[in-house]
């Protein structure tokens, strides 16, 4: 009885080890690792966009103190920030190309509104000389650079994942377990991927 029970458990264990070996050999574990890597890279992208959004209220208030009649520009930034912060993509919905495109759109609109706001400083020498404004300007420029780096890392991570989805034999595992290619950032001008928007208008 005991010997029979032992033999049964030995067969179960051997089967489990064989299944694990097969899953590992066909890329299942590789998918888990690369999927987590893309989620981590995406988390950093979101963190940097949030850092930018957190800077905007103080920036708007500082500009308002010197150029309150630039209402249209100030309101455009506030609206764009509200849209960007209300639209977030979690790692669980990163496989939705439409949602990803919408995320890019709202962040792009915020980038454009910010560029117009920073250009306002050219008309107001006192604003350009304001210590708070210059500090916020510096922080914003640094954040834009961090966004660029985070986006590049996410693009590389997604590329690595998508190659695994498409190459043989791991593409068979992808089909079996429903792993699909993930969308990535797209820009009309490839230089925009590696060049942060220019926001230092104080020079």
């Amino acid at each position: 009885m005991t010997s029979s029970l032992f033999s049964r458990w030995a067969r179960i264990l051997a089967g489990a080890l064989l299944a694990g070996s097969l899953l590992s050999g066909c890329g299942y574990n590789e998918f888990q690792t690369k999927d987590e890597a893309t989620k981590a890279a995406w988390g950093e992208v979101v963190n940097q966009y949030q850092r930018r959004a957190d800077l905007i209220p103080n920036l708007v208030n500082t500009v308002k103190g010197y150029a309150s009649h630039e209402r249209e520009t100030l309101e455009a930034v506030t609206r764009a920030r509200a849209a960007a912060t209300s639209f977030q993509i979690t790692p669980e919905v990163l496989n939705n190309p439409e949602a990803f495109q919408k995320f890019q759109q709202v962040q792009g609109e915020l980038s454009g509104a910010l560029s117009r706001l920073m250009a306002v400083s050219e008309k107001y020498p006192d604003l350009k000389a304001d210590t708070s404004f210059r500090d916020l300007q510096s922080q914003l420029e640094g954040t834009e650079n961090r966004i660029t780096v985070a986006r590049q890392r996410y693009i590389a991570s997604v590329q690595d994942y998508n190659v695994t989805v498409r190459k043989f034999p791991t593409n068979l595992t992808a089909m079996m377990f429903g792993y699909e290619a993930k969308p990535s950032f797209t820009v009309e001008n490839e230089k925009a991927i590696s060049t942060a928007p220019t926001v230092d208008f104080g020079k």
Side-chain angles (χ1 to χ4, degrees):
M1 184 77 174
T2 304
S3 176
S4 175
L5 183 63
F6 176 79
S7 178
R8 181 182 173 192
W9 278 108
R11 286 195 301 273
I12 291 173
L13 180 60
L17 289 173
L18 178 60
S21 176
L22 289 173
L23 286 173
S24 177
C26 67
Y28 180 81
N29 291 340
E30 188 177 3
F31 275 114
Q32 305 313 304
T33 300
K34 293 184 177 182
D35 188 47
E36 289 302 317
T38 60
K39 290 178 181 177
W42 178 252
E44 185 59 21
V45 170
V46 172
N47 285 343
Q48 296 307 329
Y49 275 126
Q50 184 60 53
R51 176 186 171 90
R52 179 174 74 169
D54 291 343
L55 290 170
I56 291 173
N58 287 338
L59 183 63
V60 168
N61 287 333
T62 302
V63 173
K64 190 184 297 183
Y66 290 91
S68 58
H69 56 284
E70 300 279 355
R71 190 178 68 180
E72 184 178 341
T73 302
L74 294 167
E75 288 179 352
V77 172
T78 301
R79 284 194 305 270
R81 178 187 183 274
T85 55
S86 66
F87 190 90
Q88 296 292 332
I89 299 182
T90 64
E92 288 69 34
V93 295
L94 274 178
N95 292 328
N96 184 334
E98 292 78 17
F100 196 90
Q101 185 177 10
K102 179 63 176 175
F103 180 86
Q104 287 191 86
Q105 179 186 336
V106 296
Q107 293 295 342
E109 289 170 357
L110 179 53
S111 294
L114 270 174
S115 293
R116 290 190 294 275
L117 177 65
M118 298 304 292
V120 164
S121 68
E122 285 296 293
K123 297 189 285 185
Y124 302 95
D126 289 344
L127 171 60
K128 286 167 55 175
D130 182 88
T131 303
S132 296
F133 177 78
R134 295 183 69 84
D135 180 55
L136 287 165
Q137 186 181 46
S138 176
Q139 290 184 58
L140 183 60
E141 184 178 40
T143 300
E144 292 289 0
N145 289 331
R146 291 187 186 96
I147 288 172
T148 299
V149 171
R151 281 168 54 111
Q152 288 175 326
R153 288 175 178 167
Y154 178 75
I155 289 168
S157 179
V158 168
Q159 181 182 24
D160 187 37
Y161 175 90
N162 287 347
V163 167
T164 306
V165 168
R166 295 187 175 104
K167 73 180 181 181
F168 181 83
T170 50
N171 64 331
L172 301 177
T173 304
M175 288 187 286
M176 183 182 301
F177 290 97
Y179 294 113
E180 297 180 353
K182 298 178 183 292
S184 189
F185 288 104
T186 56
V187 289
E188 292 181 5
N189 181 356
E190 291 182 3
K191 286 182 66 178
I193 293 176
S194 57
T195 305
T198 301
V199 295
D200 188 4
F201 291 92
K203 293 181 180 179

